[in-house]
Amino acid sequence: MDQLNNDPAVHGILVQLPLPGHLNEDLIINSIAPEKDVDGFHISNVGLLGTGQKSMVPCTPLGCLMMLRDHHGSISGMNAVVIGRSNIVGKPMAQLLLNDSATVTIAHSRTKDLPGVVKQADIVVAAVGRPEMVPGDWIKEGATVIDVGINRIDAPEKGEGKTRLVGDVHFESAAKVAGAITPVPGGVGPMTIACLLANTVTACCRANGLEEPEGLTA
Ligand SMILES: NC(=O)C1=CN([C@@H]2O[C@H](COP(=O)(O)OP(=O)(O)OC[C@H]3O[C@@H](n4cnc5c(N)ncnc54)[C@H](OP(=O)(O)O)[C@@H]3O)[C@@H](O)[C@H]2O)C=CC1
Ligand SMILES: Nc1nc(=O)c2c([nH]1)NC[C@@H]1CN(c3ccc(C(=O)N[C@@H](CCC(=O)O)C(=O)O)cc3)C=[N+]21
């Protein structure tokens, strides 16, 4: 890590999670130079984001925010429900929505009446890791649904031993009531990868005192 941190030819560093059990995740993430932390997981970037300052923004929530801004223009005043409170997705997602003046609810495994909470939402972001957990009848008519879940499930219909990817939302039923919905695959996942590249360009511009291209970050 020291070698990469000190190499001026390297502008971005990402540590793919989860790490094997014998490695201390916090220690390793926080050893990344914050200005090269293209995942935005370093505690200084988390703190900067939380206080509304310029930071590196986690790729998955950033991609979700870009889609929401693109679709709605402004999300100010909208009711947003984020299902999931992980450091990778749920918490930074809630922070970004709040910074854009949405009214934000964070739901998790202890939330009471999750269907009722989701029903209030103009924007639903599902980041749970449970295949097709959110059915269409939880969704408010016309709501925007962002499905972060990437779950591989058995697909015996495709042949023995075959699998397929599904999200945390039951797409077929939710698509009937939602105003807009992201598919899995082909939704949030590719945006995450695009945002990783965007963050790398941002980090490179900042390292070299260059003007940042418009719209690359939050
Ligand atoms: N598209 C992409 O680029 C990415 C996709 N993912 C996918 O997103 C999903 C979530 O990932 P990640 O945030 O890392 O997952 P975590 O397992 O870290 O967090 C899951 C969250 O969901 C909550 N949860 C679990 N069960 C329920 C339930 N029954 N009702 C309500 N909330 C529940 C948990 O609550 P509690 O805290 O109470 O336990 C927890 O906060 C996964 O499918 C993952 O593969 C992740 C990263 C990037
Ligand atoms: N430090 C770190 N940062 C991450 O952002 C991170 C991580 N660790 N660990 C793993 C999760 C998962 N994740 C995905 C990103 C894109 C797709 C993606 O593009 N999926 C394609 C499908 C790919 C396929 O077909 O298998 C799609 O949704 O269309 C999936 C998963 C990032 N994560």
Side-chain angles (χ1 to χ4, degrees):
M1 198 66 86
D2 287 341
Q3 203 181 321
L4 294 171
N5 282 342
N6 293 320
D7 184 345
V10 173
H11 300 104
I13 302 169
L14 171 144
V15 177
Q16 179 88 7
L17 301 178
L19 289 172
H22 67 286
L23 294 173
N24 182 331
E25 206 166 281
D26 288 336
L27 196 73
I28 290 175
I29 300 271
N30 291 320
S31 71
I32 302 171
E35 65 278 9
K36 295 190 180 187
D37 171 32
V38 284
D39 237 344
F41 292 169
H42 190 286
I43 43 165
S44 355
N45 283 316
V46 176
L48 289 168
L49 181 65
T51 50
Q53 301 179 71
K54 193 163 136 176
S55 66
M56 295 303 297
V57 179
C59 306
T60 299
L62 179 58
C64 297
L65 182 75
M66 283 180 177
M67 290 193 283
L68 288 169
R69 283 181 177 169
D70 189 63
H71 185 68
H72 288 288
S74 165
I75 60 167
S76 175
M78 294 179 82
N79 283 335
V81 171
V82 180
I83 319 175
R85 55 172 162 180
S86 71
N87 291 335
I88 300 187
V89 189
K91 278 191 249 175
M93 185 73 246
Q95 201 62 251
L96 287 172
L97 293 164
L98 188 60
N99 289 350
D100 266 26
S101 299
T103 300
V104 183
T105 302
I106 306 174
H108 46 76
S109 67
R110 309 293 175 89
T111 296
K112 290 194 176 119
D113 185 23
L114 186 58
V117 170
V118 172
K119 202 73 179 186
Q120 303 300 313
D122 307 310
I123 295 168
V124 182
V125 181
V128 184
R130 290 178 179 258
E132 301 177 320
M133 188 193 97
V134 179
D137 59 10
W138 292 11
I139 306 291
K140 177 170 147 182
E141 182 81 40
T144 300
V145 178
I146 306 282
D147 191 351
V148 180
I150 305 268
N151 308 292
R152 193 163 283 285
I153 62 168
D154 290 339
E157 72 279 6
K158 285 168 62 180
E160 204 189 306
K162 297 280 188 190
T163 62
R164 65 190 174 101
L165 283 187
V166 297
D168 291 340
V169 177
H170 187 265
F171 185 86
E172 202 189 311
S173 59
K176 290 195 176 110
V177 275
I181 182 168
T182 64
V184 178
V188 173
M191 283 301 290
T192 296
I193 294 164
C195 286
L196 180 60
L197 298 177
N199 278 345
T200 307
V201 173
T202 297
C204 177
C205 290
R206 289 179 186 172
N208 292 284
L210 301 169
E211 201 180 326
E212 294 171 35
E214 212 174 302
L216 279 196
T217 191

